[in-house]
Amino acid sequence: MKQSIFLLKEQKAMVIIAMNYNRSTLRGINKRLFDIAFNKVNQIHNPVELDGMEMILVSQSLHKYGKFLSNSKQIKESKQYRIYGDVFEEIRKNFQSLNGPKIKKTKTA
C-alpha cells in the first residue's frame, strides 16, 4: 500500500536537497534502499507514491538537513525543513494507522 503525496515545486526542491544531503552519509544496502525512495521523489510525476518506510526516510532527511542548517546558523531555513519534516511524519502516522496491521487486544487471565 502506498500513499499519494502531492508536492509543490518548492516542497519538492526542499525534499530533494535534504535527501541529497542525507544520501551522502549512507553506505551499502542502506544507500540502495534510500535510493529507491529518492528516485521516486526525484521523478517528474506528481503526486509521489510512497510507502511508510519511504516516508520515514524523507522525514529523517528533512530533519537531518534542518539540523545541519541550524548548526550553520541558518535558523529560519532550518525551521522550514524541520516543520516540513514534521508534516511528513504526520502524513506517515496517519497512513500507518489507516493501513497498518490491526492488533486485536484480548484480556488475559
Side-chain angles (χ1 to χ4, degrees):
M1 192 102 219
K2 304 229 184 245
Q3 175 71 42
S4 294
I5 302 171
F6 186 84
L7 299 174
L8 297 174
K9 194 179 198 180
E10 301 83 24
Q11 294 168 329
K12 190 169 190 171
M14 287 174 66
V15 171
I16 290 171
I17 290 168
M19 289 186 84
N20 258 328
Y21 173 78
N22 194 18
R23 186 175 183 269
S24 66
T25 67
L26 301 173
R27 301 283 177 255
I29 190 73
N30 291 333
K31 188 171 190 173
R32 281 188 256 162
L33 291 172
F34 186 87
D35 283 345
I36 294 169
F38 181 69
N39 290 334
K40 287 181 181 181
V41 171
N42 213 11
Q43 291 178 354
I44 297 171
H45 306 284
N46 221 348
V48 177
E49 300 277 329
L50 300 173
D51 65 19
M53 186 63 203
E54 293 164 341
M55 286 186 266
I56 288 172
L57 295 172
V58 172
S59 176
Q60 286 176 342
S61 295
L62 288 163
H63 282 106
K64 192 172 189 175
Y65 190 68
K67 186 175 182 178
F68 165 76
L69 290 173
S70 179
N71 291 338
S72 300
K73 306 296 186 231
Q74 299 176 49
I75 304 304
K76 183 179 176 186
E77 294 83 359
S78 171
K79 282 185 180 183
Q80 290 174 330
Y81 278 87
R82 288 177 184 225
I83 289 170
Y84 197 44
D86 290 342
V87 168
F88 246 92
E89 188 60 20
E90 282 302 311
I91 292 169
R92 183 197 65 82
K93 285 179 184 177
N94 290 333
F95 170 78
Q96 292 291 88
S97 68
L98 293 173
N99 300 301
K102 307 298 183 233
I103 299 172
K104 292 182 182 179
K105 294 183 179 181
T106 58
K107 291 184 180 181
T108 58

